[in-house]
Amino acid sequence: MKHKDFSPESLAISGGHDPGSANNSIKPPIYQTSTFKFNTAEEGKAFFEKAKGDAPLEERNASLIYTRLNHPNAITAEFRLAQLDGAEDAAFFESGMAAISTGILTFCHAGDLILMSSPLYGGTDTFIKKHAVQFGIEWAEFEPGASAEDIRQLIKAHPKAGRLKMIYLETPANPTLSLTDIEMIKDLRDELAPEAIIAVDNTYMGPVFQKPLAHGADLNLYSATKYIGGHSDIIAGAASGSEKVIREVKKKRAILGNTASPFTSWLLSRSMETIGLRMEKQASNAQQLAEFLNGHSKVRATHYLGLLDSSDPLYPLFKKQNTSGGAMIAFEVDGGQQEAFRFLNALNLAHLAISLGSTETLVSHPFTMSSSNMDEADRLKNGITPALIRVSVGIENLQDLIKDFDQALNSI
């Protein structure tokens, strides 16, 4: 049987590694080397030509030259992520922001325009609004819930409408969980800017609960530190898409020098073997914790996709794009920053820390932490208030989590 005969879940366990290439080791070894030997000068020349040209992916992967460009551990990890995402190829980076910034700089140049959804992760928002502009890249932003006509008019009215090169989406958004219709955006792109790349930050849903490429995205981006890594022991980023798109991303990655290291790539391969099990348990815990929070007297509002019912206008979009409510919750305590801090300081089991997607439950305060580098007006207009708490639900015993959140809320 060939790879195409097996499911992505199975290929994420052992795909991308041939035991026969490593003394029959079931797990891939860590190739802790900076460079690779050529058998002949002619082979070295051919490898360089394949690495920088348009050779098929298999030939490029076999043309090992230098670890900044490619290495066996990256090949294994990228094969597995591509299977999970339904992509032709994938690329791993040394951080999520490395993946995001490399993706943007691959396709956007001086004088170009990025159209972005709102809100975005604070680091992405800052990169586009305060750093990409230093390269002459302009941006326009649409609000949560904007209609196709709203976005069409926003694009048409912009002086750089003819230079729209990327539409950057984050859905569900961090930390508010607002949704953007990827297929609607694709239709607008095809109508107004056929050459523009649609990039989607899929960090919140991971490769298990959402497949942006299947809905029309060209570039699927992640902080792989989160669910793909899943254990709070890796800093990494990822991109996936067509072979053509990822080839260009990898060229830029090689020049910027942010390819994931062999050890990071090895850890990512390990983690993808259990991503389905972890995320299903996390989502199950999140659903029940969100239901508890939604009924608590000290909670003013609970945001969790699994709480949407069929009467909600967002429900059809949620069911179209997502296969689960995921494991991210945002809720507002009854009060403001003082009450939010009192809750956070009273937790015993959940950890007060930024990041998300790990086996342990992580709780943070976006207004003063992960979104704090956004302008305050942008935070408030997107519902990132001083009362908002972000929760990344882990795999602990559910009743223990509920007890911990209950006692912390009752301290307010």
Side-chain angles (χ1 to χ4, degrees), residues 78-365:
E78 289 164 1
F79 174 86
R80 293 181 181 184
L81 180 60
Q83 304 311 303
L84 290 170
D85 276 340
E88 292 177 353
D89 195 14
F92 276 109
F93 301 78
E94 277 297 288
S95 73
M97 283 308 303
I100 291 165
S101 57
T102 301
I104 291 172
L105 294 176
T106 298
F107 299 104
C108 298
H109 307 101
D112 289 342
L113 174 66
I114 298 176
L115 176 67
M116 54 189 276
S117 63
S118 180
L120 297 181
Y121 163 62
T124 309
D125 184 270
T126 298
F127 178 78
I128 292 174
K129 293 180 178 178
K130 298 180 181 178
H131 295 273
V133 293
Q134 296 175 359
F135 296 95
I137 301 168
E138 298 188 29
W139 57 272
E141 182 178 54
F142 63 89
E143 303 297 321
S147 68
E149 185 58 27
D150 292 335
I151 300 171
R152 181 182 289 109
Q153 293 307 316
L154 175 65
I155 297 171
K156 286 185 172 182
H158 199 283
K160 293 284 188 179
R163 296 286 299 271
L164 178 60
K165 292 299 173 66
M166 177 173 282
I167 304 176
Y168 191 102
L169 313 175
E170 188 175 295
T171 181
N174 179 0
T176 62
L177 295 162
S178 59
L179 299 177
T180 301
D181 189 331
I182 301 170
E183 290 180 2
M184 175 190 75
I185 295 297
K186 178 184 182 297
D187 291 341
L188 284 170
R189 186 275 310 273
D190 293 347
E191 171 192 344
L192 300 173
E195 300 303 314
I197 293 290
I198 298 174
V200 176
D201 186 328
N202 194 33
T203 298
Y204 256 38
M205 283 291 164
V208 176
F209 297 142
Q210 182 171 258
K211 312 285 185 185
L213 300 175
H215 295 281
D218 303 295
L219 185 62
N220 193 18
L221 293 165
Y222 298 99
S223 170
T225 305
K226 313 306 193 285
Y227 290 106
I228 296 173
H231 295 79
S232 292
D233 57 7
I234 304 171
I235 296 291
S240 66
S242 69
E243 184 178 340
K244 179 181 178 182
V245 166
I246 299 302
R247 180 191 302 132
E248 297 306 311
V249 171
K250 285 183 174 179
K251 287 179 183 177
K252 185 68 73 175
R253 180 184 70 172
I255 294 301
L256 294 176
N258 51 28
T259 302
S261 71
F263 185 46
T264 296
S265 301
W266 183 87
L267 286 169
L268 290 163
S269 291
R270 171 216 64 180
S271 293
M272 281 184 281
E273 296 181 10
T274 61
I275 189 170
L277 295 171
R278 287 185 282 108
M279 292 194 72
E280 291 290 349
K281 172 63 173 174
Q282 288 166 307
S284 174
N285 277 355
Q287 178 71 44
Q288 295 174 81
L289 181 60
E291 291 171 0
F292 164 77
L293 291 170
N294 199 41
H296 201 285
S297 61
K298 298 294 180 70
V299 174
R300 187 163 60 210
T302 305
H303 308 286
Y304 177 66
L305 294 176
L307 294 179
L308 295 175
D309 61 38
S310 57
S311 65
D312 193 295
L314 284 176
Y315 185 78
L317 176 57
F318 164 58
K319 297 302 287 185
K320 178 174 73 169
Q321 288 186 174
N322 308 121
T323 59
S324 166
M328 295 301 301
I329 301 171
F331 71 94
E332 291 185 78
V333 297
D334 189 11
Q337 181 171 299
Q338 182 179 353
E339 288 75 19
F341 278 18
R342 192 172 296 147
F343 164 80
L344 292 167
N345 291 336
L347 290 167
N348 293 316
L349 179 61
H351 298 276
L352 174 55
I354 60 168
S355 197
L356 59 99
S358 189
T359 51
E360 70 278 348
T361 295
L362 300 174
V363 184
S364 65
H365 188 247

Side-chain angles (χ1 to χ4, degrees), residues 239 241 326 386 390 394:
R390 187 183 77 175

Side-chain angles (χ1 to χ4, degrees), residues 50-101:
K50 291 174 183 176
K52 66 186 178 183
D54 294 329
L57 177 62
E58 293 77 12
E59 292 184 25
R60 281 183 275 130
N61 280 344
S63 304
L64 296 172
I65 298 170
Y66 188 65
T67 291
R68 173 168 60 81
L69 307 178
N70 203 5
H71 52 82
N73 294 113
I75 293 169
T76 298
E78 289 164 1
F79 174 86
R80 293 181 181 184
L81 180 60
Q83 304 311 303
L84 290 170
D85 276 340
E88 292 177 353
D89 195 14
F92 276 109
F93 301 78
E94 277 297 288
S95 73
M97 283 308 303
I100 291 165
S101 57

